[in-house]
Amino acid sequence: MTTPVFPTSLAHGVQRGLGVAATPVTSPFTGSQDVQDWGGEWWEYSIEVAVRQHAEGRALSAFFAKLRGPTTPFLFCDPAVRQSGSYGTPLVNGGSQTGNTLVTDGWSATGLKEGDFFSLGGGATTQLYQLTADVTPVAGAATLEFVPALRSSPADNAALEVTNPQVLLRLTSPVPAGISPGDLYRFSFTAREAI
């Protein structure tokens, strides 16, 4: 089955945050805190959709209905993370990589900046990452530092998507259609990275 793709042009407002599986424990005696980091990280989104009329609003309502709540994950290309530039064809350089760094090659002289995004994989294996340091290619090679950590090792020569990175999301609750007089539709929904 093809992974559904949310029509990004309809997103009116986007809130994005990185969820972290960590539990702070505060001492009742000293107030000091210890944090247990369980290692899990994922993207969380809250998205407002622009008002749509008639057939377009009904089609979007049907898109959400077809997802059947959290049952079906979908791809979302966050309009706030698109980067423009000539980056070459960045690829993973070597298999069996793990953690929060990735050795890559195939870059042009242009790199990315801290806070920029890239994605790996496609369809149901798509994962989104945010850079935590500038990427400065040297002879076409660069080591990326990012969050969240790799959940699986990408294959050698796997392509990085740096122009229109995507994230695989799953709805966290049903999406009601707000319909006002004149057949105007408004939607707002929350979603979490499908991992």
Side-chain angles (χ1 to χ4, degrees), residues 60-88:
L60 190 54
S61 178
F63 174 85
F64 289 123
K66 283 191 292 189
L67 295 178
R68 298 175 49 242
T71 306
T72 306
F74 62 98
L75 288 169
F76 179 68
C77 186
D78 185 336
V81 302
R82 292 184 184 160
Q83 289 100 216
S84 59
S86 176
Y87 303 106

Side-chain angles (χ1 to χ4, degrees), residues 3-142:
T3 305
V5 179
F6 180 81
T8 303
S9 62
L10 302 182
H12 180 67
V14 175
Q15 291 182 355
R16 171 190 358 94
L18 184 67
V20 178
T23 306
V25 179
T26 304
S27 167
F29 305 106
T30 65
S32 64
Q33 280 192 327
D34 286 326
V35 177
Q36 178 63 52
D37 185 353
W38 303 102
E41 300 170 315
W42 59 89
W43 294 108
E44 296 180 346
Y45 276 83
S46 178
I47 300 168
E48 298 284 331
V49 178
V51 174
R52 298 286 120 191
Q53 294 187 357
H54 306 293
E56 196 170 30
R58 291 186 189 111
L60 190 54
S61 178
F63 174 85
F64 289 123
K66 283 191 292 189
L67 295 178
R68 298 175 49 242
T71 306
T72 306
F74 62 98
L75 288 169
F76 179 68
C77 186
D78 185 336
V81 302
R82 292 184 184 160
Q83 289 100 216
S84 59
S86 176
Y87 303 106
T89 307
L91 304 170
V92 174
N93 185 2
S96 302
Q97 298 189 58
T98 61
N100 293 85
T101 60
L102 187 65
V103 178
T104 62
D105 59 13
W107 293 89
S108 68
T110 304
L112 295 171
K113 298 293 185 188
E114 178 182 23
D116 286 344
F117 289 80
F118 69 96
S119 60
L120 283 168
T125 66
T126 302
Q127 295 181 11
L128 180 69
Y129 301 95
Q130 184 174 31
L131 295 170
T132 56
D134 290 348
V135 175
T136 307
V138 176

